Amino acid sequence: MLPSVLPTESDHIPVLADEVIATLAPRPGETVVDCTFGAGGHSSLLAGRLQGEGKLIAIDRDPSVAPFFERFRRTTAVKARLLHGEFSTVLEQLAGNGVRADVILLDLGVSSMQLDRPERGFSYAVDAPLDMRMDPSSDYSARELVNEADERELSDIFKRYGEERYARQIARAIARRRGKEPFERTGDLVETIKAAIPAPARFGEGHPAKRVFQALRIEVNDELGSVERALPAAFEMLRPGGRLAVIAFHSLEDRIVKRFLRAREQGCTCPPDFPICVCGSEATMRATPRRAIRPSGAEVARNPRAQSARLRVGTKVG
Ligand SMILES: C[S@@+](CC[C@H](N)C(=O)[O-])C[C@H]1O[C@@H](n2cnc3c(N)ncnc32)[C@H](O)[C@@H]1O
């Protein structure tokens, strides 16, 4: 049997593809950094606009994207390389080494391939080992988190990253169950979550384990911390006139991006009651456009996973 890592028809469908191309508008000769290569859908579109002149640097913390990158490299005319690692670390290293970019894209979260591969443990819909690491070589998985974090910490994670109403009850049920036997599989966790929430809530909005799984995934992969660290590094790498785009899938991530762009757009850091500016700081980015771009109804109908996507783009002032 062929390994499931080979590119298949279930490849990730790039989200907000037309909008990404229109706002980032790569030009021949430019350098593009795709921080979340995945199946290379956005990379292929961005590289196409370079018309054979320019460079594409792909980053992903999941080594299983390698066959997708090989496929991309065979079909692209631009110089391309893949860097394996967490994007904030890689961007900091690139910026520190003086590498400069004209276009940087972050399409956050997990890919369809990660979600659809049961053995990765991201899905509440199939029973699999409790894992959820985007980088399988990292030493902290959902198994450690669920079995070792204290009850209070778990409850906070479910509340903060999953907006789970029954966070306390679920954390208590987890602590009770793992006292007898540690959690090894997603199925056991789903059963514990279902049993911990009131019966009517089990049939409410979406799958009862959806919010807890999202929260665990965010914590295991330090998803918010990565974005916080990546944005200043991406800014440093951008040449004047360079464009940075971020696609976020939940409000916590989108808020980080929005605040980052606002702060750089504002420039002046004087208290609002100062009659004149004394700090002399000027705007270093412009949000282009001002508001987040959302997918069209037609896109959501084609690809329901696009539903919660928000695209924000900033241009470095120069
Ligand atoms: C939503 S998918 C990107 C799909 C891609 N744009 C495409 O068109 O195929 C996100 C990808 O980014 C990777 N990723 C997420 N967070 C990361 C991080 N902090 N550092 C590096 N890679 C990350 C995931 O492993 C996954 O492959």
Side-chain angles (χ1 to χ4, degrees), residues 166 169 193-203:
Y166 301 103
Q169 290 89 325
I193 295 167
K194 279 188 187 162
I197 62 181
R202 275 177 230 155
F203 307 101

Side-chain angles (χ1 to χ4, degrees), residues 29 36 40 50 62 65 76-77 81 95 133 136 146 154 169 188 209 211 216 240 263 296 300:
T36 48
L50 298 177
D62 186 344
V65 306
T76 185
R81 61 179 168 141
R133 289 169 299 174
V146 168
L154 283 177
Q169 290 89 325
D188 301 332
R211 289 174 295 278
L216 291 172
S296 65
V300 175

Side-chain angles (χ1 to χ4, degrees), residues 11-15 34-45 59-65 68 83-90 105-114 120 122 134-135 221-223 226-227 229-230 247 249 253:
D11 285 5
H12 192 90
I13 306 168
V15 169
D34 181 351
C35 299
T36 48
F37 182 78
H42 285 113
S43 276
S44 297
L45 296 168
I59 304 172
D60 207 294
R61 73 197 328 192
D62 186 344
S64 75
V65 306
F68 294 91
L83 303 173
H84 171 239
E86 199 278 299
F87 54 55
S88 69
T89 311
V90 177
L105 170 67
L106 290 91
D107 174 18
L108 301 172
V110 278
S111 66
S112 305
M113 291 95 61
Q114 289 166 330
R120 303 296 298 268
F122 286 108
M134 287 191 207
D135 180 352
N221 296 290
D222 184 23
E223 293 183 30
S226 297
V227 180
R229 295 187 298 274
I247 304 175
F249 289 84
E253 269 171 358

Side-chain angles (χ1 to χ4, degrees), residues 22-75:
T23 51
L24 287 178
R27 293 184 284 267
E30 289 192 329
T31 298
V32 173
V33 182
D34 181 351
C35 299
T36 48
F37 182 78
H42 285 113
S43 276
S44 297
L45 296 168
L46 294 166
R49 292 302 171 106
L50 298 177
Q51 296 173 21
E53 292 169 45
K55 256 190 273 173
L56 187 132
I57 301 172
I59 304 172
D60 207 294
R61 73 197 328 192
D62 186 344
S64 75
V65 306
F68 294 91
F69 181 75
E70 282 316 312
R71 179 183 66 177
F72 164 72
R73 196 158 52 181
R74 279 198 301 276
T75 55

